Amino acid sequence: MSASRHPALSATDPELASFVAAEESLQAETLRLIPSENYVSAAVLEASGTVLQNKYSEGYPGRRYYEGQQNIDRVEALAVERAKGLFGVDHANVQPYSGSPANLAVYLAFAKPGDTVMGMALPMGGHLTHGWGVSATGSWFRGVQYGVRPGTGLIDYDAVRDQALAERPKIIFCGGTALPRTIDFAAFASIAEEAGSVLVADVAHIAGLIAGGAHPSPAGHVDVISTTTHKTLRGPRGAMLMCREEHAKAIDKAVFPGLQGGPHNQTTAGIAVALHEAAQPAFVSYAHAVVANAKALAQALLERGFDLVSGGTDNHLILIDLTGKDVPGKVAAKALDRAGIVVNYNTVPFDPRKPFDPSGIRIGTPSLTSRGLSTEHMPQVADWISRSVDAAAKADESALAVVRAEVTALMSAFPAPGLPLS
Ligand SMILES: *Cc1c(COP(=O)(O)O)cnc(C)c1O
């Protein structure tokens, strides 16, 4: 399979080519439920693997430090225009190498080391880069953290407001990596205004839902929107920072020359293609189908006795709390992997266990929706998860093998974008 798909690679480096071919098979055959992952289109894959790779272009379109930018400038300007149109923002910077450096650029633009910054705590669903201790953002800045309410698993906006007024952070981050519920950007905006803070919406997970109209947009509410391009947005691995005109200079200066050198032009091209795809009517259907699938999957899991953080989902993501089952998250995740269902283990709010051995598993529907699975398939998916978790509790490998065969059979009927037909 790989020799025909990647002939030059197979000839030059058969060992590496075999790894790629194996990964293609794995992505084709498994039910991929990691909510931050997806399948990019063949067009995005092609754009990301072009000779744009060969070009250095420090600076911005029309203001470069290297010559020969005739084509690169057009690629980047196109990506910027598409981002502005899709998200309804004044300014977009498409150069950040990934989500974490994009967030670092926000710190560089608006804060000094030692300043107080506020974000959601990692174990509550926030991201490392929102001021958590083990991250540079938590050691170079004074990170204060908010969480969710114990009973409901929902953000307590009154508590966030009290904390923000007491701490007066330079920057407040909203958004996260394990939040199954809609973020109230307007509520955060009024808190940030009262506290005199710069408000950043980190929509890495939900950018595609926002683009497709399946989650409210932070545009108009927040100072800066930070997002990765490779999660629900279905672009290459990269990131964007978007903002009001008043912050455009600060953001651009922070990304380059503040933090980065030359932009990855092949990635910029892939982002431009993904933004074009995300502006099509089919993407609106996709984004809504992701949410419909997640709601149907959550319902089917609840019916099978699973405990879900916040009781369900509004978006693409479900956080299963296994505290009441006999299986910790890691054991469940590894058993699911053997059954051909790929998830990640995750802390749940107020987790009694340690972060590397937590009580939850985090799942989501972006990838399976990209393959065309719909709500009618979600009871089947929930059934597989349930049987696999039960099998993990009983160390029943043959039950996992049975699930795996069923998963592979369904997956073969729903070919993934960008992958060879197996
Ligand atoms: C994924 C994610 C990031 C980081 O993205 P990387 O590309 O992995 O660096 C930042 N913030 C949030 C909320 C994320 O979900």
Side-chain angles (χ1 to χ4, degrees):
M1 174 202 298
S2 101
S4 57
R5 230 172 114 76
H6 310 292
L9 180 60
S10 300
T12 303
D13 191 342
E15 186 183 19
L16 191 281
S18 76
F19 299 161
V20 175
E23 179 62 20
E24 287 171 349
S25 300
L26 192 68
Q27 291 192 15
E29 287 162 12
T30 53
L31 176 59
R32 300 170 68 234
L33 293 181
I34 294 176
S36 51
E37 293 182 349
N38 215 323
Y39 296 96
V40 298
S41 68
V44 168
L45 266 186
E46 281 181 16
S48 317
T50 56
V51 296
L52 302 179
Q53 165 96 271
N54 298 339
K55 198 67 199 127
Y56 240 104
S57 46
E58 286 183 354
Y60 290 100
R63 297 175 281 138
R64 305 282 191 188
Y65 291 80
Y66 292 74
E67 297 312 313
Q69 306 295 340
Q70 298 84 324
N71 306 307
I72 300 300
D73 274 4
R74 288 155 72 187
V75 169
E76 187 171 333
L78 188 59
V80 166
E81 282 314 306
R82 286 176 177 171
K84 285 161 62 176
L86 188 62
F87 288 95
V89 292
D90 296 342
H91 182 74
N93 186 311
V94 298
Q95 294 192 5
Y97 298 143
S98 213
S100 304
N103 284 346
L104 263 189
V106 171
Y107 287 86
L108 188 59
F110 299 108
K112 293 264 178 293
D115 280 350
T116 300
V117 297
M118 191 167 152
M120 188 173 228
L122 182 70
M124 296 282 177
H127 192 260
L128 279 166
T129 56
H130 298 181
W132 191 244
V134 299
S135 153
T137 62
S139 53
W140 295 344
F141 299 89
R142 185 178 157 267
V144 296
Q145 258 85 37
Y146 58 89
V148 295
R149 277 199 217 110
T152 62
L154 301 174
I155 294 173
D156 182 343
Y157 288 95
D158 293 330
V160 174
R161 180 175 173 274
D162 292 344
Q163 196 179 6
L165 292 181
E167 300 284 1
R168 302 271 168 187
K170 271 275 162 56
I171 304 173
I172 297 176
F173 281 89
C174 59
T177 62
L179 303 181
R181 294 297 179 176
T182 301
I183 301 163
D184 187 344
F185 296 117
F188 270 107
S190 75
I191 292 167
E193 184 171 30
E194 264 189 275
S197 314
V198 170
L199 179 62
V200 183
D202 183 347
V203 298
H205 263 260
I206 55 174
L209 304 185
I210 292 167
H215 187 289
S217 172
H221 293 295
V222 307
D223 293 288
V224 179
I225 302 172
S226 174
T227 185
T228 57
T229 46
H230 48 270
K231 299 181 183 175
T232 50
L233 195 55
R234 296 185 63 185
R237 304 196 81 84
M240 305 192 293
L241 288 170
M242 298 177 280
C243 62
R244 301 188 177 129
E245 195 52 48
E246 61 180 298
H247 299 311
K249 273 213 173 84
I251 287 292
D252 283 354
K253 263 181 64 187
V255 173
F256 173 85
L259 204 62
Q260 299 189 167
H264 294 178
N265 299 310
Q266 75 284 6
T267 299
T268 307
I271 290 173
V273 175
L275 291 168
H276 174 68
E277 291 176 344
Q280 306 309 312
F283 198 87
V284 173
S285 311
Y286 168 71
H288 286 87
V290 167
V291 175
N293 280 339
K295 285 179 185 286
L297 181 54
Q299 186 55 38
L301 287 166
L302 289 170
E303 284 163 10
R304 283 159 183 78
F306 282 97
D307 189 7
L308 309 182
V309 171
S310 84
T313 183
D314 298 327
N315 53 31
H316 65 302
L317 183 148
I318 298 165
L319 196 52
I320 303 178
D321 184 345
L322 295 170
T323 312
K325 302 256 175 191
D326 304 332
V327 209
K330 201 181 204 169
V331 173
K334 290 194 177 300
L336 283 159
D337 193 51
R338 295 199 293 283
I341 300 170
V342 188
V343 307
N344 67 276
Y345 58 86
N346 215 95
T347 51
V348 294
F350 311 101
D351 203 321
R353 304 175 65 91
K354 296 267 180 332
F356 58 86
D357 186 20
S359 301
I361 51 178
R362 191 184 67 146
I363 61 174
T365 50
S367 296
L368 64 78
T369 308
S370 294
R371 298 182 77 141
L373 268 69
S374 58
T375 51
E376 67 187 289
H377 299 107
M378 295 307 112
Q380 173 68 81
V381 172
D383 184 59
W384 284 333
I385 293 172
S386 178
R387 282 159 57 196
S388 301
V389 170
D390 288 348
K394 294 183 230 140
D396 182 351
E397 286 304 315
S398 63
L400 296 177
V402 172
V403 173
R404 186 171 190 115
E406 293 175 18
V407 167
T408 309
L410 185 68
M411 291 304 105
S412 70
F414 289 88
L419 284 179
L421 299 175
S422 46

